[in-house]
Amino acid sequence: MAAFAEGAPCWVDASLPDVEAGKRFYGELFGWTFAEGAGAEYGHYTQAYSRGRNVAALAPKPDGRMPTVWGIYLYTTDAYACAQRIRAAGGQMVMDPMPVGPYGTAAMAADPGGAVFGLWQPGTHHGFDAQQEPYTYCWSEVYTRARDAVDVFYAKVFGYVPQDQDDAGVEYRIWSPPGTAPGTDTAVLGRSLITEAFPEAMPAHFLAYFAVPDCDQSVAMVQRLGGRVTADPFDTPYGRIAVVADNQGAVFGLLSEPRTKPAA
């Protein structure tokens, strides 16, 4: 069982119109296998596995008006107390904490900029069995226009310790859990800005990244499987990145080692 710091991403799931199509897409792209799916009382939630380890889930959208998205869940030891902190810090609860059978307690919240995220207080389901390796979750970022309000919000709710990064000439902040030294070795989440380079209608959102051995090859496979590319592969100090959408519209990131190594 992995140990998570308060506020660290501990789970991801995709809300899709067609879970069977999602299983085919991610089964081909990441080599995932899938459980049969929970019953109606759990919304037919379907666990995804990488090499037999629990790494994500797919869920049918209960309402067609809801977005087709990858959702990020942040770990908490007490979802009810965390919900109180969220409200006090200027956020909103989209769904109040709710027990999910023996598995844990879930909630959904929105930060002051409007980005929606989940809370997960584990029961028998602890979160990722594997992460930070090929075909598993590896990173998350929140994109916002409300920089100052959002920075204060996450510091109050989770006690994140910030460090600003300007390697690429774009304002970017990483957050580490309280009690740790800030930096890339301890960071659990990033914060980026929605600038004029993005579509005007783009809402604040969280973006989940999955590690892959070769970003360009995975992008090509996304396209073969009927998905689309939102941002073509490019190298950063942290790896080679692309942003894509699956064949139903759920957006996610891909991350691999950079193709061009920095000069010595």
Side-chain angles (χ1 to χ4, degrees), residues 13 22 24 39 64 69 88 91 93 123 146 162 172-173 190 200 218 230 236 244 254 259:
D13 60 21
R24 292 190 293 271
V69 295
M93 294 307 299
Y172 188 79
R173 172 169 285 192
E200 186 175 347
S218 291
T230 300
T236 75
V244 298
L254 299 168
R259 283 195 164 187

Short mmCIF file of all heavy atoms in Angstrom, two decimals, residues 13 22 24 39 64 69 88 91 93 123 146 162 172-173 190 200 218 230 236 244 254 259:
data_model
loop_
_atom_site.label_atom_id
_atom_site.label_comp_id
_atom_site.label_asym_id
_atom_site.label_seq_id
_atom_site.Cartn_x
_atom_site.Cartn_y
_atom_site.Cartn_z
N ASP A 13 -9.75 9.00 -12.10
CA ASP A 13 -10.73 8.22 -12.85
C ASP A 13 -11.25 9.05 -14.01
O ASP A 13 -11.19 10.28 -13.99
CB ASP A 13 -11.87 7.68 -11.97
CG ASP A 13 -12.68 8.76 -11.27
OD1 ASP A 13 -12.66 9.92 -11.71
OD2 ASP A 13 -13.34 8.44 -10.27
N GLY A 22 -13.94 3.08 -23.74
CA GLY A 22 -12.79 3.52 -22.95
C GLY A 22 -11.85 2.37 -22.64
O GLY A 22 -10.62 2.52 -22.68
N ARG A 24 -11.37 -0.27 -24.45
CA ARG A 24 -10.62 -0.60 -25.67
C ARG A 24 -9.52 0.41 -25.91
O ARG A 24 -8.38 0.04 -26.25
CB ARG A 24 -11.58 -0.68 -26.87
CG ARG A 24 -12.55 -1.84 -26.81
CD ARG A 24 -13.30 -2.01 -28.13
NE ARG A 24 -14.21 -0.89 -28.41
CZ ARG A 24 -15.47 -0.82 -28.01
NH1 ARG A 24 -16.00 -1.81 -27.29
NH2 ARG A 24 -16.23 0.21 -28.33
N GLY A 39 -21.34 -2.92 -9.25
CA GLY A 39 -22.76 -2.93 -9.53
C GLY A 39 -23.34 -1.53 -9.63
O GLY A 39 -22.65 -0.52 -9.49
N GLY A 64 -25.57 12.92 -19.29
CA GLY A 64 -24.85 13.31 -20.50
C GLY A 64 -24.39 14.75 -20.50
O GLY A 64 -23.52 15.12 -21.28
N VAL A 69 -14.20 13.81 -18.61
CA VAL A 69 -12.94 14.29 -18.03
C VAL A 69 -12.23 13.19 -17.25
O VAL A 69 -12.84 12.21 -16.82
CB VAL A 69 -13.18 15.48 -17.07
CG1 VAL A 69 -13.72 16.68 -17.80
CG2 VAL A 69 -14.11 15.08 -15.92
N ALA A 88 -13.99 27.39 4.23
CA ALA A 88 -13.41 28.53 4.96
C ALA A 88 -12.37 29.26 4.12
O ALA A 88 -12.16 30.47 4.31
CB ALA A 88 -12.79 28.04 6.26
N GLY A 91 -13.35 28.11 -1.18
CA GLY A 91 -13.75 27.12 -2.18
C GLY A 91 -15.22 26.73 -2.00
O GLY A 91 -15.90 27.23 -1.10
N MET A 93 -18.02 23.24 -2.14
CA MET A 93 -18.20 21.80 -2.23
C MET A 93 -19.21 21.50 -3.34
O MET A 93 -20.35 21.96 -3.30
CB MET A 93 -18.69 21.23 -0.90
CG MET A 93 -17.68 21.35 0.23
SD MET A 93 -16.03 20.67 -0.18
CE MET A 93 -16.44 18.94 -0.50
N GLY A 123 -10.80 3.84 2.72
CA GLY A 123 -11.24 2.74 3.55
C GLY A 123 -10.44 1.53 3.10
O GLY A 123 -9.23 1.48 3.24
N ALA A 146 -7.01 32.53 -11.69
CA ALA A 146 -7.09 33.19 -10.38
C ALA A 146 -5.87 32.84 -9.55
O ALA A 146 -5.96 32.22 -8.49
CB ALA A 146 -8.38 32.80 -9.66
N PRO A 162 5.28 26.12 -1.34
CA PRO A 162 5.47 26.43 -2.76
C PRO A 162 6.93 26.63 -3.15
O PRO A 162 7.78 26.98 -2.34
CB PRO A 162 4.71 27.76 -2.92
CG PRO A 162 4.92 28.43 -1.59
CD PRO A 162 4.92 27.32 -0.56
N TYR A 172 5.25 29.30 -13.27
CA TYR A 172 4.82 27.96 -12.88
C TYR A 172 5.23 27.73 -11.44
O TYR A 172 6.32 28.11 -11.02
CB TYR A 172 5.49 26.92 -13.80
CG TYR A 172 5.00 25.50 -13.64
CD1 TYR A 172 3.81 25.10 -14.21
CD2 TYR A 172 5.74 24.57 -12.92
CE1 TYR A 172 3.35 23.79 -14.07
CE2 TYR A 172 5.30 23.26 -12.79
CZ TYR A 172 4.10 22.87 -13.36
OH TYR A 172 3.66 21.58 -13.23
N ARG A 173 4.34 27.12 -10.67
CA ARG A 173 4.62 26.87 -9.25
C ARG A 173 4.41 25.39 -8.95
O ARG A 173 3.48 24.76 -9.48
CB ARG A 173 3.70 27.72 -8.38
CG ARG A 173 3.76 27.42 -6.89
CD ARG A 173 3.05 28.47 -6.05
NE ARG A 173 3.85 29.70 -5.98
CZ ARG A 173 3.59 30.70 -5.14
NH1 ARG A 173 2.56 30.63 -4.32
NH2 ARG A 173 4.37 31.76 -5.12
N GLY A 190 1.43 20.70 -9.47
CA GLY A 190 1.88 21.93 -10.09
C GLY A 190 0.72 22.88 -10.31
O GLY A 190 -0.43 22.47 -10.40
N GLU A 200 -10.03 31.29 -25.13
CA GLU A 200 -10.69 32.15 -24.16
C GLU A 200 -11.73 31.39 -23.34
O GLU A 200 -11.96 31.68 -22.17
CB GLU A 200 -11.35 33.32 -24.88
CG GLU A 200 -11.94 34.37 -23.96
CD GLU A 200 -12.48 35.57 -24.71
OE1 GLU A 200 -12.17 35.70 -25.91
OE2 GLU A 200 -13.20 36.37 -24.10
N SER A 218 3.44 7.27 -28.25
CA SER A 218 2.13 7.22 -27.61
C SER A 218 1.16 8.21 -28.26
O SER A 218 -0.03 7.92 -28.42
CB SER A 218 2.25 7.50 -26.12
OG SER A 218 2.91 6.42 -25.46
N THR A 230 -3.91 17.83 -28.43
CA THR A 230 -4.17 19.21 -28.01
C THR A 230 -2.87 20.01 -28.02
O THR A 230 -2.87 21.19 -28.38
CB THR A 230 -4.79 19.23 -26.61
OG1 THR A 230 -6.03 18.51 -26.66
CG2 THR A 230 -5.05 20.63 -26.12
N THR A 236 10.74 19.61 -22.05
CA THR A 236 10.82 20.51 -20.91
C THR A 236 11.96 20.03 -20.03
O THR A 236 12.51 18.94 -20.25
CB THR A 236 9.52 20.50 -20.10
OG1 THR A 236 9.46 19.29 -19.32
CG2 THR A 236 8.29 20.58 -20.99
N VAL A 244 -3.21 15.31 -24.88
CA VAL A 244 -4.06 14.63 -25.86
C VAL A 244 -5.46 14.44 -25.28
O VAL A 244 -5.69 14.66 -24.09
CB VAL A 244 -3.47 13.25 -26.24
CG1 VAL A 244 -2.10 13.41 -26.90
CG2 VAL A 244 -3.36 12.34 -25.02
N LEU A 254 0.74 13.21 -21.42
CA LEU A 254 1.71 12.12 -21.55
C LEU A 254 3.08 12.68 -21.23
O LEU A 254 3.42 13.80 -21.61
CB LEU A 254 1.71 11.56 -22.97
CG LEU A 254 0.39 10.95 -23.46
CD1 LEU A 254 0.46 10.70 -24.96
CD2 LEU A 254 0.08 9.65 -22.72
N ARG A 259 13.68 13.61 -25.48
CA ARG A 259 14.45 13.05 -26.60
C ARG A 259 15.81 13.71 -26.72
O ARG A 259 16.77 13.09 -27.14
CB ARG A 259 13.66 13.21 -27.90
CG ARG A 259 12.52 12.22 -28.04
CD ARG A 259 12.02 12.16 -29.46
NE ARG A 259 11.23 10.96 -29.67
CZ ARG A 259 10.77 10.59 -30.86
NH1 ARG A 259 11.02 11.32 -31.93
NH2 ARG A 259 10.06 9.50 -30.99
#
